[in-house]
Amino acid sequence: MDMIDKNRSLEGLDKRYIWHPFTQMKDWLDERPVIISEGKDCFLKDIYGNWYLDGVSSLWVNMHGHRKRELDDAIRTQLAKIAHSTMLGLSNEPAITLAERLIGLLHTAASPHNDSSSIAPPLSKVFYSDNGSTAVEVALKMAFQYWLHKGMSGRTAFLSLENAYHGDTLGAVSVGGIDIFHKAFGPLLFQTYRAPSPYCYRCTFDESHPDCTFRCLGAMEDILKEHSEEIAAVIVEPLVQAAGGMIVSPPGYLRGVRELSTRYRVLMIADEVATGFGRTGRMFACEHEAVIPDILCLSKGLTGGYLPLAATVATDEIYNAFLGEFRDLKTFFHGHSYTGNPLGCAAALACLDIFHNEDTLGQLRPKIERMESFLKDIAFLDHVGNVRSRGLMAGIELVRDKATKEPYPWEERMGWRVAHYAKAKGIFIRPLGNIVVIMPPLSIVIENLERLMSVIAEGIRSVTA
Ligand SMILES: *Cc1c(COP(=O)(O)O)cnc(C)c1O
């Protein structure tokens, strides 16, 4: 079989055997799939040798680029020792070292603000799993069972936000707020109170930040006033509701959520699966507002986008509530086969070393500024209703009518049409409905960032003309 035949048959075999996530397979079958065979830095190469700029970090996970030498080496070195052993009844070196590093990192993150206004105890215990959804499931179960152990069995509900996304398993979907993804599963979900999304462009209360009175927080408080005794935890995505459309919350909102959860004595879960590891310009998004949650969920960027790994980090207060005699059945009965996988933990350690050795966060500043200046220009385009960004994550909301903010009907798939345009120019992006998402690896060089932004601007001009 020559090369072309082999490649054609890969396309055929993909269509015959694979069911892709978040994909209408009927559309997939009508198109020619891009099949990736290699990567380097912020580029992906397909089986025909075409290179694509990875404009969404392989779905928000890649931080330091593909085939990063230090990451490759760390995994190889670990592989020469052992690929996997269980955390049920055993422990392993990389998992221990990583837990210590994460806790250290979280303490450093918290300490500049460690003044009298510090409103929560530090995060101190790491519970591993293998993806963002499981990190959230663990957080939800932990929060619920914490209250059981405290003798409060009535706390069976959660408080989450409209437009929230916390993953695709049923617990995570229960606290999700994106109708198009989540509504169908309604009958299977547990009870959740929903507070308005801090979506300033389409404010539920028709107010405008910074002149508003944070009625979104007021509505959250109303729910807590009435129902706090039923609520185990409030769960939020700090600063950016990512999958909900890159919705950036106004300054002070996150801190407001922390203060409300403290005042009404419910736990606060921060889902930093998308925002963690430098994405917002700081190591963790919570740092921007000096917030320490009771439970923190991490995944995506944790291994630099190399391997599936997640961590749910809890305070001693929560951990200690689970201590007891075996017969008390206070044990946290939860775990996964690949929990604390040594290869993943080795990659995560190397990823953190790179942040330190290359001053990834320091290097990020000029890139963020460059992206913001492009976004400013894009905001003037006729069908761009709103641009929003935090660090190196951005969303461009396309609208049919800029004056009235009338959205394009979702069936028109405007975001997808921009992505299609970009693909023909060698840029891979994946939109969220009418929102064009920009989320390149943190390691992207300015020149490639400029190319990414220019093609997106061209694409928007072209498809909305
Ligand atoms: C992606 C994401 C998840 C789910 O992570 P998976 O690894 O895809 O299960 C959860 N929360 C947030 C905020 C996310 O962006």
Side-chain angles (χ1 to χ4, degrees), residues 427-456:
I427 304 261
F428 176 69
I429 50 174
R430 187 170 169 95
L432 295 157
N434 291 328
I435 289 123
V436 177
V437 173
I438 306 163
M439 207 145 155
L442 305 185
S443 61
I444 191 171
V445 296
I446 291 269
E447 185 194 352
N448 290 329
L449 181 64
E450 288 175 345
R451 192 175 138 215
L452 170 67
M453 297 305 292
S454 317
V455 169
I456 285 172

Coordinates of all heavy atoms in Angstrom, one line a residue, residues 427-456:
I427 N -5.1 27.0 10.4 CA -5.3 27.3 11.9 C -6.4 26.4 12.4 O -7.5 26.4 11.8 CB -5.8 28.7 12.0 CG1 -4.8 29.7 11.4 CG2 -6.1 29.1 13.5 CD1 -3.8 30.4 12.3
F428 N -6.2 25.7 13.5 CA -7.2 24.9 14.1 C -7.8 25.6 15.3 O -7.1 25.9 16.2 CB -6.7 23.5 14.5 CG -7.8 22.7 15.2 CD1 -8.9 22.2 14.5 CD2 -7.8 22.5 16.6 CE1 -9.9 21.5 15.2 CE2 -8.8 21.8 17.3 CZ -9.9 21.3 16.6
I429 N -9.1 26.0 15.2 CA -9.8 26.5 16.3 C -11.2 25.8 16.5 O -11.6 25.1 15.5 CB -10.1 28.0 16.3 CG1 -10.7 28.4 14.9 CG2 -8.8 28.8 16.5 CD1 -11.1 29.9 14.8
R430 N -11.7 25.8 17.6 CA -13.1 25.2 17.8 C -13.9 26.1 18.6 O -13.6 26.5 19.7 CB -12.9 23.8 18.6 CG -14.2 23.1 18.6 CD -14.1 21.7 19.1 NE -15.4 21.1 19.4 CZ -16.0 20.3 18.6 NH1 -15.5 20.0 17.4 NH2 -17.2 19.8 18.9
P431 N -15.0 26.6 18.0 CA -15.9 27.6 18.6 C -16.9 27.0 19.6 O -17.0 25.8 19.7 CB -16.6 28.2 17.4 CG -16.8 27.0 16.5 CD -15.6 26.1 16.7
L432 N -17.5 27.9 20.3 CA -18.7 27.5 21.1 C -19.9 28.3 20.6 O -20.0 29.4 20.9 CB -18.4 27.9 22.6 CG -17.2 27.2 23.3 CD1 -16.7 28.0 24.5 CD2 -17.6 25.8 23.8
G433 N -20.7 27.6 19.8 CA -21.8 28.3 19.2 C -21.4 29.5 18.4 O -20.5 29.4 17.5
N434 N -21.9 30.7 18.8 CA -21.5 32.0 18.1 C -20.3 32.6 18.7 O -20.0 33.7 18.3 CB -22.7 32.9 18.2 CG -23.9 32.5 17.4 OD1 -23.7 31.8 16.3 ND2 -25.1 32.8 17.8
I435 N -19.6 31.9 19.5 CA -18.4 32.5 20.2 C -17.2 31.8 19.6 O -17.0 30.6 19.7 CB -18.5 32.4 21.7 CG1 -19.6 33.3 22.2 CG2 -17.2 32.8 22.3 CD1 -20.6 32.8 23.0
V436 N -16.3 32.7 19.0 CA -15.0 32.2 18.5 C -14.1 32.2 19.7 O -13.9 33.1 20.4 CB -14.5 33.1 17.4 CG1 -13.1 32.7 17.0 CG2 -15.5 33.2 16.3
V437 N -13.5 31.0 19.9 CA -12.6 30.8 21.1 C -11.1 30.9 20.7 O -10.8 30.3 19.7 CB -12.9 29.4 21.8 CG1 -11.9 29.1 22.9 CG2 -14.3 29.4 22.3
I438 N -10.4 31.6 21.4 CA -8.9 31.7 21.2 C -8.2 31.3 22.5 O -8.4 31.9 23.5 CB -8.5 33.1 20.8 CG1 -9.4 33.6 19.7 CG2 -7.0 33.2 20.5 CD1 -9.3 35.1 19.5
M439 N -7.4 30.2 22.4 CA -6.8 29.7 23.6 C -5.5 28.9 23.2 O -5.4 27.7 23.4 CB -7.8 28.7 24.3 CG -7.6 28.6 25.7 SD -9.2 28.5 26.5 CE -8.9 27.6 28.0
P440 N -4.5 29.6 22.7 CA -3.3 28.9 22.2 C -2.5 28.5 23.4 O -2.6 28.9 24.5 CB -2.6 30.0 21.4 CG -3.0 31.3 22.0 CD -4.4 31.1 22.5
P441 N -1.5 27.6 23.1 CA -0.6 27.2 24.2 C 0.1 28.4 24.7 O 0.4 29.4 24.0 CB 0.4 26.3 23.5 CG -0.3 25.7 22.3 CD -1.3 26.8 21.9
L442 N 0.4 28.4 26.0 CA 1.0 29.6 26.7 C 2.4 29.9 26.0 O 2.9 31.0 26.0 CB 1.2 29.4 28.2 CG 0.0 29.0 29.0 CD1 0.4 28.9 30.5 CD2 -1.1 30.0 28.8
S443 N 3.0 28.9 25.4 CA 4.3 29.0 24.8 C 4.3 29.6 23.4 O 5.4 29.8 22.9 CB 5.0 27.6 24.8 OG 4.2 26.8 23.9
I444 N 3.2 29.9 22.9 CA 3.1 30.4 21.5 C 4.0 31.7 21.4 O 4.0 32.5 22.3 CB 1.6 30.7 21.1 CG1 1.5 31.0 19.6 CG2 1.1 31.9 22.0 CD1 0.1 31.1 19.1
V445 N 4.7 31.8 20.3 CA 5.6 33.0 20.2 C 4.7 34.1 19.5 O 3.7 33.8 18.8 CB 6.8 32.7 19.3 CG1 7.7 31.8 20.0 CG2 6.5 32.2 17.9
I446 N 5.1 35.4 19.7 CA 4.3 36.5 19.3 C 3.9 36.4 17.8 O 2.8 36.6 17.4 CB 5.0 37.8 19.6 CG1 5.1 38.1 21.1 CG2 4.4 39.0 18.9 CD1 4.0 38.9 21.7
E447 N 4.9 36.0 17.0 CA 4.7 36.0 15.6 C 3.5 35.0 15.2 O 2.7 35.3 14.4 CB 6.0 35.5 15.0 CG 6.0 35.4 13.5 CD 7.2 34.6 13.0 OE1 8.1 34.2 13.8 OE2 7.3 34.4 11.8
N448 N 3.5 33.9 15.9 CA 2.4 32.9 15.6 C 1.1 33.4 16.2 O 0.0 33.1 15.6 CB 2.7 31.5 16.2 CG 3.8 30.9 15.4 OD1 4.0 31.1 14.2 ND2 4.7 30.1 16.0
L449 N 1.1 34.1 17.3 CA -0.1 34.6 17.9 C -0.7 35.7 17.0 O -1.9 35.7 16.8 CB 0.3 35.3 19.3 CG -0.9 35.9 20.1 CD1 -1.9 34.8 20.5 CD2 -0.4 36.6 21.3
E450 N 0.2 36.5 16.4 CA -0.3 37.5 15.4 C -1.0 36.8 14.2 O -2.0 37.3 13.7 CB 0.9 38.4 15.0 CG 1.3 39.3 16.1 CD 2.5 40.2 15.8 OE1 3.2 39.8 14.8 OE2 2.7 41.1 16.5
R451 N -0.4 35.7 13.8 CA -0.9 35.0 12.6 C -2.3 34.5 13.0 O -3.3 34.6 12.2 CB 0.0 33.9 12.2 CG -0.4 33.3 10.9 CD 0.6 32.3 10.4 NE -0.2 31.2 9.8 CZ 0.2 29.9 9.9 NH1 1.3 29.6 10.5 NH2 -0.6 29.0 9.4
L452 N -2.4 33.9 14.2 CA -3.7 33.3 14.7 C -4.7 34.4 14.7 O -5.8 34.3 14.2 CB -3.4 32.7 16.1 CG -4.7 32.3 16.9 CD1 -5.4 31.1 16.2 CD2 -4.3 31.9 18.3
M453 N -4.4 35.6 15.3 CA -5.4 36.6 15.5 C -5.8 37.2 14.1 O -6.9 37.6 13.9 CB -4.8 37.7 16.4 CG -4.5 37.3 17.8 SD -5.9 36.5 18.7 CE -7.0 37.9 18.9
S454 N -4.8 37.4 13.2 CA -5.1 38.0 11.9 C -6.1 37.1 11.1 O -7.0 37.6 10.5 CB -3.9 38.2 11.0 OG -2.9 38.7 11.8
V455 N -5.8 35.8 11.1 CA -6.6 34.9 10.4 C -8.1 34.9 11.0 O -9.0 34.8 10.2 CB -6.0 33.4 10.3 CG1 -7.0 32.4 9.8 CG2 -4.8 33.4 9.5
I456 N -8.2 34.9 12.3 CA -9.5 34.9 12.9 C -10.2 36.2 12.5 O -11.4 36.2 12.1 CB -9.4 34.8 14.4 CG1 -9.0 33.3 14.7 CG2 -10.7 35.2 15.1 CD1 -8.7 33.0 16.2

